[in-house]
Amino acid sequence: MNRRSLLAGTVGLVGSMVMGSTRSSAEPATDGLPADPTRVPGKAATPYGQRSSFETAGRVSRAWWASLTPLQDSHGILTPSALHFERHHNGVPTIHPAQHRLLVHGLVDQPWTFTLDDLKRFPAVSRLAFIECSGNSAIEWKGPTGKTVQDTHGLTSTSEWTGVALKTLLQEVGVNPQASWMLAEGSDAAAMTRSLPLASMLDEAMLCYAQNGEPLRPEQGYPLRLVIPGWEGNTCIKWLRRLKLGRAPFMTREETSQYTDLMPDGKARQFTMVMEAKSVITSPSGGQQIQPGFLEIRGLAWSGRGRITEVEVSMDGGRSWRQAALQDPVLPKCHTRFHVPWRWNGEDVILQSRCIDETGYVQPDRAALVAVRGVNSVYHYNAIQSWRIAADGLVSNVHP
Amino acid sequence: MNRRSLLAGTVGLVGSMVMGSTRSSAEPATDGLPADPTRVPGKAATPYGQRSSFETAGRVSRAWWASLTPLQDSHGILTPSALHFERHHNGVPTIHPAQHRLLVHGLVDQPWTFTLDDLKRFPAVSRLAFIECSGNSAIEWKGPTGKTVQDTHGLTSTSEWTGVALKTLLQEVGVNPQASWMLAEGSDAAAMTRSLPLASMLDEAMLCYAQNGEPLRPEQGYPLRLVIPGWEGNTCIKWLRRLKLGRAPFMTREETSQYTDLMPDGKARQFTMVMEAKSVITSPSGGQQIQPGFLEIRGLAWSGRGRITEVEVSMDGGRSWRQAALQDPVLPKCHTRFHVPWRWNGEDVILQSRCIDETGYVQPDRAALVAVRGVNSVYHYNAIQSWRIAADGLVSNVHP
């Protein structure tokens, strides 16, 4: 064989594939399929497509009120809307778009009720942004609990969001200079409600009616959702029906009984809106089994404070680090795909990734995070994730 | 009322909405829906989401072998996979991913057959790119034939594509220095086949297994598709089963009976792979009816040669032009969203858009295009589109 190999220091990929060929060629099912698809005319065009019946990747539900994105099956930086994680407090309401209204009131010059058609007439803005539940990886506070990366990190997803800039809407109704907080309320059966400090989100918040090029999906807030890029998912109120401007936080149920961070001294930190920088290796990841030879380590990194500037990967539990390549486009407050080629020699190792964002913040390891936060918290766990690869190739979640 | 208006020189949007409020609030249907969605617990989480039953935007089929993206209903720059246009020569085959193989042969050092799992082990690349059928807007050669923007321009869509760089694969099998053309063949019932000049696409071509974060949809080539950013859609061979390297074009049926441009002198131009810069206003567009007052003119621009650098909009049939804002991110060989605010005063006008790409190419008007190409062609129509707005607000396709 006279081949050049892309990967210096490894045997060619084709070589390593021969070794793995038994495993990589799963036994083909025959069940009525034509042996040769070129011999049978195919199906006609359809108004609205569906995925192949051979593909079954799905959101896993923790309960009826949450489902997680299968990050181990994800490609690129986008999450298909059908696989975007969901979290709701009393189920997904069914709302007729023509009946839906948004009331804007409180400390405004002119209270107003908007229909969806009204909102679509305003100048539109679009943005690719991740949304992460503040409870993403929450089970990891207790130890290495999640078995797969979907369990541990599946409450984050990225979409292109389109709607009206909050700023545009508020300029139209006129904001009283004394207004510094905004209450946002959903029209779900929980009437999910949060207080939001106005100044720190006014430049980026959007009232969205579209996701990934088409109207929002019901579980993502159809027909209207507040999206605040970089802030915890629960501030991105779905099924949005009301905005009220005021002088102080409204101290709703969600910011007292939930969404606070219990610190080691027993005090609770409130209004920790921003999701700090975080990364995770999605392949290989928990529950998978790999074979010796070449593979590409792949993962996602994101920061609620802006762009990811660097991701490093360790194949020895953090003793040494290798710089990963970042896939363009690297966008602020958006999933960033990283990858690094690797050759696994069959030894028991621990894989980790850590990211740095444009503010210079470095994703902490678990010990550093726990030193500050203790283990009383539920939310905002962003420690470095460790995947152990045992000698048999099985990948598992560990906290070394 | 004490309101500030975002839009200098217009009355506030809220004001103009009052005027249009009867029309914008469609009569709500009641059919069994709760009058107040906050009074009824909602639906549980699901493994794979679906759009709201109130949303019905769909691809329109020209025939069983083609369907068009509803650009008038699109948001942002992405096209949902379910609405990505489709074009096939003998229907959409059903292919078992574990049975599928890619043969690479001809002038290579080592012919090889790859399974899908083999390909997924190679380093992965992702890219947002448009695909446009060379027949997009073809009906406009004959005059103002399409009634809607879906009819006239719906054979273009943008996705995030993920797969293996062709370059990576060819480096592994080793390319004979004499190879300068590559045959790509699909495993559909037409065995759709095209010859591709190797040097001019080697840096960008991808063998894709994923689209918008999940496996390709069947009508987009499941399980494997060649994607050549910027080139006419028919070169992006779907259901890809074979690549053969050779010294010259293979002169397949598709490059002799189809996909040539018949010039005014009766000679046919071959291998016009690149899609030139093009833009279109999607809102307002053909078949819609608008009302006097504020609206935002919205549209898409794209170029097979790189980034869009500028889009201008004319509200007077091309006598004067106004610069449109481009929505970030502006990516090479990708749909770019543009928008410009406008106040329609009820006069009969003609709206147009024209774009410029980073090579300095300016989208031509129809007269300039026809002067060079005549009207014998079927493919590569990229003239400026004109939408006439009559005094009653009805928008129609005209060639002024």
Side-chain angles (χ1 to χ4, degrees):
Chain A
M1 293 216 305
N2 173 21
R3 290 181 287 99
R4 289 155 295 179
S5 174
L6 173 72
L7 303 150
T10 72
V11 301
L13 279 185
V14 170
S16 64
M17 278 164 186
V18 177
M19 194 159 58
S21 65
T22 311
R23 185 168 172 269
S24 64
S25 308
E27 200 58 34
T30 47
D31 46 12
L33 280 183
D36 180 354
T38 65
R39 299 285 173 162
V40 185
K43 292 177 183 164
T46 52
Y48 195 78
Q50 295 192 309
R51 64 175 173 173
S52 162
S53 60
F54 299 113
E55 297 298 329
T56 56
R59 296 186 288 216
V60 161
S61 296
R62 277 209 186 132
W64 58 268
W65 43 263
S67 72
L68 301 99
T69 294
L71 295 180
Q72 70 281 4
D73 299 316
S74 73
H75 304 274
I77 60 173
L78 286 171
T79 309
S81 300
L83 293 174
H84 192 294
F85 84 88
E86 53 185 316
R87 170 79 182 92
H88 25 83
H89 289 231
N90 206 351
V92 179
T94 303
I95 298 175
H96 196 303
Q99 285 175 330
H100 192 71
R101 297 291 181 274
L102 173 68
L103 168 64
V104 184
H105 68 140
L107 291 178
V108 297
D109 298 341
Q110 176 64 56
W112 208 271
T113 302
F114 296 93
T115 67
L116 212 62
D117 282 346
D118 291 341
L119 295 173
K120 288 179 181 169
R121 290 183 63 192
F122 280 99
V125 289
S126 294
R127 172 151 182 187
L128 281 104
F130 78 85
I131 293 181
E132 182 181 16
C133 179
S134 57
N136 196 21
S137 316
I139 57 173
E140 296 303 299
W141 283 113
K142 296 183 173 52
T145 309
K147 298 229 180 301
T148 69
V149 68
Q150 184 168 14
D151 298 333
T152 60
H153 290 75
L155 290 169
T156 185
S157 312
T158 284
S159 292
E160 185 188 26
W161 303 97
T162 298
V164 188
L166 173 65
K167 204 171 190 169
T168 303
L169 195 83
L170 293 184
Q171 278 176 320
E172 285 300 316
V173 297
V175 176
N176 183 312
Q178 296 192 32
S180 57
W181 286 77
M182 183 180 86
L183 185 79
E185 183 180 74
S187 49
D188 56 327
M192 170 73 185
T193 313
R194 292 254 13 211
S195 307
L196 308 159
L198 201 55
S200 53
M201 56 98 178
L202 195 54
D203 282 341
E204 296 190 87
M206 306 160 68
L207 309 174
C208 293
Y209 44 75
Q211 177 190 13
N212 292 336
E214 63 182 339
L216 290 177
R217 295 298 178 93
E219 63 271 32
Q220 297 308 324
Y222 182 83
L224 190 67
R225 178 179 200 171
L226 181 63
V227 172
I228 311 176
W231 285 22
E232 51 185 25
N234 64 73
T235 65
C236 300
I237 299 290
K238 298 188 275 194
W239 316 291
L240 185 71
R241 69 169 179 179
R242 188 160 74 97
L243 298 175
K244 183 178 185 179
L245 295 241
R247 286 182 181 80
F250 294 78
M251 292 301 172
T252 71
R253 175 178 179 278
E254 305 300 335
E255 46 224 28
T256 51
S257 74
Q258 296 217 34
Y259 303 132
T260 61
D261 297 308
L262 191 57
M263 302 297 280
D265 63 3
K267 289 189 179 169
R269 229 171 43 163
Q270 253 184 322
F271 301 117
T272 49
M273 307 299 200
V274 176
M275 300 306 292
E276 299 289 0
K278 192 165 170 180
S279 71
V280 70
I281 292 169
T282 56
S283 174
S285 59
Q288 298 180 339
Q289 184 165 21
I290 66 167
Q291 297 206 322
F294 172 84
L295 59 88
E296 186 177 61
I297 296 172
R298 295 169 193 162
L300 294 168
W302 60 96
S303 168
R305 299 201 188 270
R307 279 189 174 76
I308 291 293
T309 52
E310 198 176 335
V311 178
E312 295 172 308
V313 171
S314 174
M315 293 80 165
D316 56 12
R319 282 193 298 281
S320 68
W321 295 89
R322 225 165 102 185
Q323 192 147 0
L326 305 184
Q327 177 77 56
D328 280 329
V330 178
L331 300 170
K333 308 185 183 182
C334 184
H335 281 176
T336 294
R337 173 71 61 179
F338 67 85
H339 41 87
V340 60
W342 186 48
R343 188 173 172 79
W344 183 51
N345 60 13
E347 286 177 9
D348 194 318
V349 293
I350 288 176
L351 292 188
Q352 299 178 329
S353 67
R354 74 174 172 204
C355 64
I356 305 175
D357 72 17
E358 61 182 315
T359 70
Y361 177 90
V362 182
Q363 183 184 3
D365 62 22
R366 180 176 165 84
L369 183 70
V370 168
V372 175
R373 301 272 309 277
V375 292
N376 291 332
S377 287
V378 174
Y379 306 107
H380 294 279
Y381 182 96
N382 72 324
I384 288 172
Q385 172 67 31
S386 300
W387 299 120
R388 178 188 166 206
I389 303 178
D392 60 1
L394 272 169
V395 187
S396 60
N397 180 10
V398 293
H399 287 186
Chain B
M1 294 215 303
N2 172 22
R3 289 182 289 99
R4 290 155 293 180
S5 175
L6 172 72
L7 302 152
T10 72
V11 301
L13 280 185
V14 171
S16 63
M17 278 165 186
V18 177
M19 195 160 58
S21 65
T22 310
R23 185 169 172 267
S24 65
S25 308
E27 200 59 33
T30 47
D31 46 12
L33 279 183
D36 180 354
T38 66
R39 300 282 174 165
V40 186
K43 292 177 184 164
T46 51
Y48 195 78
Q50 295 192 309
R51 64 175 173 174
S52 162
S53 58
F54 299 112
E55 298 298 328
T56 55
R59 297 185 289 215
V60 161
S61 296
R62 277 210 185 130
W64 59 268
W65 42 262
S67 72
L68 300 98
T69 294
L71 295 181
Q72 70 279 5
D73 299 316
S74 73
H75 305 273
I77 61 174
L78 286 171
T79 309
S81 300
L83 293 174
H84 192 293
F85 84 87
E86 52 185 317
R87 171 79 182 92
H88 25 84
H89 289 231
N90 206 350
V92 179
T94 302
I95 298 175
H96 196 305
Q99 285 176 331
H100 193 70
R101 296 290 181 276
L102 173 68
L103 168 64
V104 184
H105 67 142
L107 292 178
V108 298
D109 296 342
Q110 175 64 55
W112 208 272
T113 302
F114 297 94
T115 67
L116 214 60
D117 283 345
D118 293 340
L119 294 173
K120 287 179 181 170
R121 290 184 64 192
F122 280 100
V125 289
S126 293
R127 174 154 182 185
L128 281 106
F130 78 84
I131 294 181
E132 182 181 17
C133 178
S134 58
N136 196 20
S137 316
I139 55 174
E140 296 303 298
W141 284 113
K142 296 184 175 49
T145 308
K147 298 230 181 299
T148 70
V149 69
Q150 184 169 14
D151 298 334
T152 60
H153 289 75
L155 291 169
T156 184
S157 312
T158 283
S159 292
E160 185 188 26
W161 302 97
T162 297
V164 187
L166 174 64
K167 205 170 189 172
T168 302
L169 195 84
L170 293 184
Q171 278 177 317
E172 285 299 316
V173 298
V175 176
N176 183 313
Q178 297 194 31
S180 56
W181 285 76
M182 183 179 86
L183 185 79
E185 183 181 75
S187 49
D188 57 325
M192 171 72 184
T193 313
R194 292 252 17 209
S195 306
L196 308 159
L198 200 55
S200 53
M201 57 99 176
L202 195 54
D203 283 341
E204 296 190 87
M206 306 160 68
L207 308 174
C208 292
Y209 44 76
Q211 177 191 11
N212 293 334
E214 63 182 339
L216 290 177
R217 295 299 178 91
E219 63 270 32
Q220 298 307 325
Y222 182 83
L224 190 67
R225 178 180 200 170
L226 181 63
V227 172
I228 311 176
W231 283 23
E232 52 185 24
N234 65 72
T235 65
C236 299
I237 298 291
K238 297 189 275 194
W239 316 291
L240 185 71
R241 68 168 180 179
R242 188 161 73 99
L243 298 174
K244 183 177 185 180
L245 298 231
R247 288 182 179 80
F250 294 78
M251 292 301 172
T252 71
R253 175 178 178 278
E254 305 300 334
E255 48 223 29
T256 51
S257 74
Q258 297 217 35
Y259 302 132
T260 61
D261 298 307
L262 192 56
M263 302 297 282
D265 63 2
K267 289 189 179 171
R269 229 172 42 162
Q270 252 184 321
F271 302 117
T272 49
M273 307 300 199
V274 176
M275 300 306 293
E276 299 289 1
K278 190 165 168 180
S279 71
V280 70
I281 293 169
T282 56
S283 174
S285 60
Q288 298 179 340
Q289 184 165 21
I290 66 168
Q291 297 205 323
F294 172 84
L295 59 88
E296 186 176 61
I297 296 171
R298 296 169 193 161
L300 294 167
W302 59 96
S303 167
R305 298 200 189 271
R307 279 190 174 75
I308 291 294
T309 52
E310 199 176 334
V311 178
E312 296 172 307
V313 171
S314 174
M315 292 79 165
D316 56 13
R319 283 192 299 281
S320 68
W321 294 89
R322 226 166 101 186
Q323 192 147 359
L326 305 184
Q327 177 77 57
D328 280 329
V330 177
L331 299 170
K333 308 185 182 182
C334 184
H335 281 176
T336 295
R337 172 71 60 179
F338 67 85
H339 41 88
V340 61
W342 186 50
R343 190 174 170 78
W344 183 51
N345 61 11
E347 286 178 10
D348 194 317
V349 292
I350 287 177
L351 292 188
Q352 300 178 329
S353 67
R354 74 176 172 202
C355 63
I356 304 175
D357 71 19
E358 60 182 314
T359 70
Y361 177 90
V362 182
Q363 183 184 4
D365 62 21
R366 180 176 165 84
L369 184 70
V370 169
V372 174
R373 302 272 308 277
V375 291
N376 290 332
S377 287
V378 174
Y379 307 107
H380 294 280
Y381 182 96
N382 72 325
I384 289 172
Q385 173 66 32
S386 301
W387 299 121
R388 178 189 165 204
I389 303 178
D392 60 2
L394 272 170
V395 187
S396 61
N397 179 11
V398 294
H399 288 187

